[in-house]
Amino acid sequence: MGSELIILPVIFGAIFGVFYLYFSTRNKERLALIEKGVDASIFTKAKGHTAPIWKVLILNLALLLMGIGLGTFIASLLDSFTSLDEDAIYPATIFFMAGVGLFIGFNLTKNLDKE
């Protein structure tokens, strides 16, 4: 009964813990480098040419939606022409093709950054 009350603080505690560890470790690493005499400009160097974020979002969203549509189409074909279980075919094929679409989007995003 009381487990519902514990779930939310545990989730927030885990998120806080991850961010705390990330920022405290980053701060300690930077302080150690500065103590050794390393130039502090390495923390402010900007990356080279990167693609605008809107292009990356549109590309990944378009490929995700295309993967979901293609997954639905393939699942309906498998449902029509095989005796496989409909309850298993649809989610498996949709998630697989959505993942393939996101993987292709990741590779295309890397190519956008190279240009």
Side-chain angles (χ1 to χ4, degrees), residues 33 53 81 100 110:
L33 287 173
I53 191 70
F81 297 116
V100 168
K110 286 194 312 187

Side-chain angles (χ1 to χ4, degrees), residues 37-81:
V38 177
D39 187 21
S41 65
I42 63 171
F43 303 126
T44 59
K45 284 185 181 175
K47 291 183 180 178
H49 172 70
T50 59
I53 191 70
W54 64 270
K55 283 185 180 179
V56 174
L57 287 175
I58 289 176
L59 177 66
N60 284 323
L61 182 64
L63 287 168
L64 175 66
L65 293 175
M66 288 169 45
I68 290 172
L70 185 62
T72 306
F73 177 69
I74 292 172
S76 70
L77 288 177
L78 287 173
D79 187 32
S80 298
F81 297 116

Side-chain angles (χ1 to χ4, degrees), residues 65-114:
L65 293 175
M66 288 169 45
I68 290 172
L70 185 62
T72 306
F73 177 69
I74 292 172
S76 70
L77 288 177
L78 287 173
D79 187 32
S80 298
F81 297 116
T82 63
S83 62
L84 297 173
D85 184 24
E86 176 184 348
D87 293 337
I89 290 176
Y90 277 95
T93 311
I94 290 170
F95 284 132
F96 178 74
M97 293 308 294
V100 168
L102 287 175
F103 181 71
I104 292 170
F106 173 73
N107 288 330
L108 290 176
T109 301
K110 286 194 312 187
N111 292 341
L112 279 177
D113 288 340
K114 288 180 184 177

